[in-house]
């Protein structure tokens, strides 16, 4: 159960976020982010507590007086025109919007330039391991692509033989294992790998390394 005082602060007063200004709505930040951008930042910049002292009483005095110093510094910055309390949120600046759009396009272009392991189109008819870039041999590819229908068929048979009142197999009998091949069987010593598969593997691996 939630403590009554915590419930009142979070639910009734909305104290689970920090609103650093009163003009713009929907501009709250999380409590830990607020601490990082204010108190923790002030402790690490010039004039902060780093390389200041190791005396406990001096550190406590610095912490107690820090809110007042921060308020004085903010007022001085406003007087000098370095910071305006009435400016719109930085996330709405044109430079920030343009930078975010460029990052989104960069990620999109990178993903589109990579091979699609789940594609079975005519131009990309082979199955690719997304982590290693390895090309699946035909037996592995067939088993992986048929894993869902095989599992569905086995489930139907399980319900018919064990769950159905007319079933002839005990529910707790050992289940037969479906030995589907995976990428671990891709380079089995008993399996011959064609030269075309090796060349596809090399090309895809080099492409994967270039992207990374």
């Amino acid at each position: 159960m939630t403590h009554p005082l915590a419930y009142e602060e979070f639910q009734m007063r909305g104290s689970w976020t920090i609103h650093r200004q009163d003009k713009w709505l929907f501009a709250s930040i999380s409590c830990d982010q607020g601490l990082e951008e204010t108190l923790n930042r002030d402790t690490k910049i010039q004039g902060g507590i780093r390389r200041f002292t190791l005396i406990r009483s001096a550190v406590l005095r610095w912490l107690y007086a820090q809110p007042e110093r921060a308020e004085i510094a903010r007022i001085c910055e406003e007087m000098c025109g370095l910071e305006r309390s009435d400016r719109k949120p930085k996330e709405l600046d044109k430079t920030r919007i343009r930078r975010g759009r460029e990052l989104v396009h960069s990620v999109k272009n990178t993903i589109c330039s990579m091979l699609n392991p789940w594609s079975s189109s005519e131009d990309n008819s082979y199955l690719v391991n997304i982590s290693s870039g390895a090309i699946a041999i035909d037996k592995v590819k067939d088993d992986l692509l048929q894993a869902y229908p095989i599992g569905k068929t086995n489930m139907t048979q399980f319900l018919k033989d064990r769950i159905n009142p007319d079933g002839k197999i005990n529910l707790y009998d050992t289940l037969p294992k479906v030995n589907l091949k995976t990428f671990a069987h891709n380079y089995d010593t008993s399996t011959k790998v064609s030269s075309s598969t090796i060349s596809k593997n090399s090309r895809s691996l080099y492409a994967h390394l270039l992207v990374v």
Side-chain angles (χ1 to χ4, degrees), residues 12 52 57 79 85 87 106 110 136 141 171 176 188 192 198:
M12 308 303 294
F52 173 61
S57 58
M79 292 174 58
S85 59
R87 79 181 303 277
S106 177
T110 301
K141 174 185 173 182
L171 176 63
D188 191 356
K192 293 183 179 180
I198 295 177

Side-chain angles (χ1 to χ4, degrees), residues 188-210:
D188 191 356
T189 55
S190 62
T191 304
K192 293 183 179 180
V193 181
S194 63
S195 58
S196 60
T197 302
I198 295 177
S199 62
K200 289 178 181 178
N201 267 321
S202 302
R203 185 174 69 252
S204 301
L205 179 59
Y206 292 151
H208 182 75
L209 292 176
L210 287 175

Side-chain angles (χ1 to χ4, degrees), residues 154-168:
N154 290 343
M155 182 196 69
T156 304
Q157 191 66 32
F158 175 85
L159 296 176
K160 179 180 179 181
D161 296 339
R162 300 174 186 248
I163 305 299
N164 195 300
D166 299 331
K168 300 179 180 180

Side-chain angles (χ1 to χ4, degrees), residues 97-141:
I97 295 175
R98 182 170 61 253
R99 177 59 177 167
R101 186 180 294 111
E102 291 175 354
L103 292 175
V104 171
H105 286 311
S106 177
V107 173
K108 181 179 178 181
N109 293 335
T110 301
I111 295 176
C112 292
S113 64
M114 298 176 65
L115 294 173
N116 185 358
W118 296 280
S119 176
S120 58
S121 61
E122 184 177 354
D123 297 332
N124 189 16
S125 58
Y126 44 88
L127 192 63
V128 185
N129 189 316
I130 192 173
S131 59
S132 65
I135 303 295
I137 60 178
D138 292 338
K139 293 182 179 180
V140 173
K141 174 185 173 182

Side-chain angles (χ1 to χ4, degrees), residues 17 19 30 48 65 74 96 120 126 161 169 178 195 198 202 207:
T17 58
H19 213 69
S30 59
R74 184 186 64 81
R96 184 71 66 88
S120 58
Y126 44 88
D161 296 339
I169 302 178
V178 181
S195 58
I198 295 177
S202 302

